[in-house]
């Protein structure tokens, strides 16, 4: 598959969502339209070609979007640490407030990555893998903040472990009590820490992770709705459909058709993408 648990690419319309956080870093690159991204209490009005990177465990939400299509890239904390050889990782990249030459170079890399992602088959391609590591190299050289400027708090480390575990085991039955026991913490303490750090409850976060993975399967595979529901950890098809409609105001099949159509329209209108 082109996407894996360490590096995922989505080209989608942003949806209204509650404030939330996750362990992965998230790169948001606006391809068309406008949207407002609220990040740790600050609002940034993003237009076409704007880029904002969201660090691990930072609260954020999308709102006020107009005909917006966004490339969202999720890179696991584990891949970044293994690639860069550092424990504490923190980036600064926000073209809305600081559009410098390094951001222009990053746009070129992202455009090339998107083009290669679209042309790659189900198993990916060598050029796509090269583009992924070229992106990591650019982030490391131009946007990485030193460890001294961003020391990791013990609470962040604990939540990081929980989020890592959820991201690897979202298709299984998970409980807050079981994870608290793994970390030698009380269930009540972990519940408060999770809510304060991630911005939603443990159960809400698991639902969101399952929905995100379901959306990926809807867009990039030909699996049936029933199969996707089972593989993403939902109790049954009815529960999946109910939660999906609550979050996206449409059925899974309607959502799939709409986003594929929007992506195709963008591709037709913006066929020439810059090369490296």
């Amino acid at each position: 598959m082109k996407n894996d648990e360490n590096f995922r690419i989505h080209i989608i319309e942003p949806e209204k969502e509650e404030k939330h956080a996750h362990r992965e870093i998230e790169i948001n690159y606006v391809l068309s339209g406008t949207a407002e991204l609220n990040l740790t209490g600050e609002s940034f009005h993003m237009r076409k070609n704007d880029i904002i990177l969201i660090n691990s465990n930072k609260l954020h939400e999308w709102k006020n979007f107009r005909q917006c299509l966004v490339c969202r890239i999720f890179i696991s904390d584990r891949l970044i640490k293994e690639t860069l050889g550092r424990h504490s990782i923190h980036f600064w990249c926000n073209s809305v407030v600081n559009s410098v030459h390094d951001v222009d170079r990053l746009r070129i890399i992202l455009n090339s990555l998107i083009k290669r992602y679209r042309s790659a088959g189900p198993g990916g391609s060598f050029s796509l893998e090269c583009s992924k590591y070229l992106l990591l190299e650019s982030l490391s050289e131009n946007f990485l903040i030193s460890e001294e400027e961003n020391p990791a708090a013990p609470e962040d480390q604990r939540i990081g472990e929980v989020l890592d575990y959820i991201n690897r085991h979202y298709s299984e039955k998970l409980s807050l009590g079981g994870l608290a026991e793994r970390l030698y913490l009380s269930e009540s303490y972990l519940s408060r820490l999770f809510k304060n750090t991630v911005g939603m409850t443990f159960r809400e976060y698991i639902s969101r992770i399952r929905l995100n993975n379901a959306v990926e399967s809807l867009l990039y595979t030909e699996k049936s709705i029933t199969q996707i529901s089972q593989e993403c950890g939902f109790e049954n098809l009815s529960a999946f459909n109910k939660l999906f409609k609550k979050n996206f105001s449409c059925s899974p099949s309607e959502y799939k058709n709409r986003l594929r159509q929007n992506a195709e329209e963008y591709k037709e209108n913006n066929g020439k993408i810059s090369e490296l």
Side-chain angles (χ1 to χ4, degrees):
M1 294 294 293
K2 292 185 287 187
N3 283 331
D4 57 43
E5 66 176 9
N6 291 316
F7 196 106
R8 297 183 291 116
I9 303 173
H10 301 278
I11 300 176
I12 63 173
E13 281 184 325
E15 296 281 344
K16 182 70 177 72
E17 58 187 10
E18 299 298 324
K19 287 185 180 180
H20 66 285
H22 41 69
R23 184 63 164 169
E24 302 158 302
I25 75 160
E26 177 182 339
I27 301 171
N28 293 282
Y29 178 32
V30 176
L31 303 177
S32 63
T34 63
E36 187 176 342
L37 179 65
N38 187 288
L39 176 59
T40 60
E42 291 188 72
S43 291
F44 301 97
H45 186 72
M46 299 184 69
R47 299 177 175 85
K48 183 178 178 180
N49 293 325
D50 272 330
I51 303 170
I52 292 181
L53 185 149
I54 302 172
N55 286 290
S56 297
N57 304 331
K58 299 301 180 183
L59 289 172
H60 59 280
E61 65 174 329
W62 286 99
K63 55 184 180 179
N64 299 332
F65 26 81
R66 296 181 179 177
Q67 299 179 327
C68 188
L69 192 66
V70 180
C71 175
R72 303 174 76 176
I73 299 175
F74 299 86
I75 308 175
S76 73
D77 181 70
R78 178 171 55 184
L79 175 61
I80 293 175
K81 288 179 179 178
E82 290 176 353
T83 303
L84 304 185
R86 286 178 46 170
H87 177 72
S88 178
I89 306 292
H90 192 88
F91 298 98
W92 166 251
C93 177
N94 186 330
S95 70
V96 176
V97 298
N98 187 21
S99 186
V100 295
H101 174 72
D102 293 334
V103 176
D104 292 333
R105 173 63 177 169
L106 183 60
R107 288 191 187 97
I108 295 174
I109 294 172
L110 288 172
N111 285 336
S112 179
L113 178 64
I114 292 170
K115 184 174 182 179
R116 292 171 180 177
Y117 173 75
R118 283 177 170 150
S119 62
S125 68
F126 177 73
S127 62
L128 177 60
E129 289 301 311
C130 290
S131 292
K132 291 178 180 179
Y133 284 97
L134 189 60
L135 173 60
L136 290 174
E137 180 184 41
S138 177
L139 294 177
S140 173
E141 290 185 353
N142 303 309
F143 305 100
L144 185 63
I145 296 176
S146 68
E147 293 180 337
E148 291 75 16
E149 295 176 283
N150 184 53
E155 292 79 8
D156 288 341
Q157 294 179 13
R158 291 193 184 99
I159 286 297
E161 292 178 41
V162 173
L163 299 185
D164 282 343
Y165 188 85
I166 293 174
N167 289 336
R168 291 195 305 270
H169 301 276
Y170 65 87
S171 61
E172 305 170 12
K173 289 185 178 181
L174 299 174
S175 70
L176 182 64
L179 284 177
E181 186 175 349
R182 289 177 63 90
L183 295 174
Y184 303 101
L185 300 172
S186 72
E187 185 173 342
S188 60
Y189 172 78
L190 182 57
S191 177
R192 291 194 302 273
L193 179 62
F194 197 97
K195 176 68 175 179
N196 292 337
T197 305
V198 181
M200 61 179 68
T201 67
F202 173 79
R203 184 53 55 188
E204 289 169 341
Y205 181 80
I206 292 177
S207 295
R208 183 173 293 277
I209 290 296
R210 287 171 174 163
L211 279 176
N212 287 345
N213 282 276
V215 167
E216 180 177 327
S217 292
L218 284 170
L219 294 177
Y220 304 115
T221 75
E222 297 303 323
K223 295 177 181 178
S224 68
I225 304 298
T226 300
Q227 184 179 359
I228 291 172
S229 171
Q230 293 172 345
E231 292 181 353
C232 291
F234 293 97
E235 293 181 6
N236 51 58
L237 182 58
S238 176
F240 173 49
N241 284 326
K242 182 178 180 181
L243 186 63
F244 200 98
K245 288 182 179 179
K246 178 181 178 181
N247 282 267
F248 298 106
S249 301
C250 63
S251 70
S253 58
E254 290 170 339
Y255 187 84
K256 176 178 181 177
N257 292 335
R258 188 180 75 195
L259 288 185
R260 282 190 171 182
Q261 181 180 356
N262 289 342
E264 286 302 318
E265 289 176 356
Y266 171 78
K267 186 177 180 180
E268 291 176 3
N269 296 330
N270 301 270
K272 295 183 179 181
I273 299 179
S274 301
E275 290 280 4
L276 283 173

